[in-house]
Amino acid sequence: MSYKNILYVSQFRDSSGYASAARSYVKAVDAYLQTSNDNINFKIYTIPIEHTNSLSVFEKQLLLKYELREEDIDTFIRDEYTIIWHMPSTMPLVAPNFVQA
């Protein structure tokens, strides 16, 4: 069985507008994946700019469900994947916590 690998990169754990929208999109993707027969390997990668305690328990659980752990990145990118970048394009230049490979 072949999977389509999708990696969604955003500030999921921030209180910014980008983060709020990104969490909403993850909720929508999760709802779709729950009812779909598509073979999609959906993962998210958080680039933290700030940390907020205002996430609901549901949001925290949803993020944990899809978050790509640092130790799994190399394995994930071995196969073809699509990346969704949902942040300002300059984020790697200004993000203090951005990890560059």
Side-chain angles (χ1 to χ4, degrees), residues 5 8 12 16 19 22-25 31-33 45 58 64-66 68 71 78 83 90 92 94 96-98 101:
N5 294 312
Y8 184 13
F12 295 101
S16 70
R23 289 190 298 271
S24 292
Y25 292 143
Y32 172 78
L33 292 175
Y45 185 76
F58 172 77
L64 287 172
K65 178 178 180 180
Y66 291 108
L68 183 61
E71 60 267 21
R78 283 186 189 142
I83 191 166
T90 57
V94 299
N97 298 319
F98 186 75

Side-chain angles (χ1 to χ4, degrees), residues 1-57:
M1 179 179 307
S2 176
Y3 286 91
K4 177 180 263 186
N5 294 312
I6 298 174
L7 180 60
Y8 184 13
V9 180
S10 191
Q11 304 162 234
F12 295 101
R13 295 182 177 274
D14 292 359
S15 60
S16 70
Y18 277 97
S20 178
R23 289 190 298 271
S24 292
Y25 292 143
V26 171
K27 289 176 194 174
V29 169
D30 182 61
Y32 172 78
L33 292 175
Q34 298 302 319
T35 61
S36 170
N37 290 327
D38 291 341
N39 295 322
I40 297 173
N41 182 20
F42 178 74
K43 296 291 182 189
I44 64 171
Y45 185 76
T46 299
I47 297 181
I49 303 304
E50 63 186 38
H51 295 280
T52 179
N53 292 325
S54 64
L55 299 179
S56 70
V57 171

Side-chain angles (χ1 to χ4, degrees), residues 60-72:
K60 289 177 186 176
Q61 290 173 340
L62 189 61
L63 296 180
L64 287 172
K65 178 178 180 180
Y66 291 108
E67 274 183 323
L68 183 61
R69 298 179 317 196
E70 292 286 332
E71 60 267 21
D72 296 331

Side-chain angles (χ1 to χ4, degrees), residues 72-84:
D72 296 331
I73 292 173
D74 288 339
T75 302
F76 184 86
I77 64 173
R78 283 186 189 142
D79 295 322
E80 186 174 320
Y81 63 96
T82 299
I83 191 166
I84 301 167

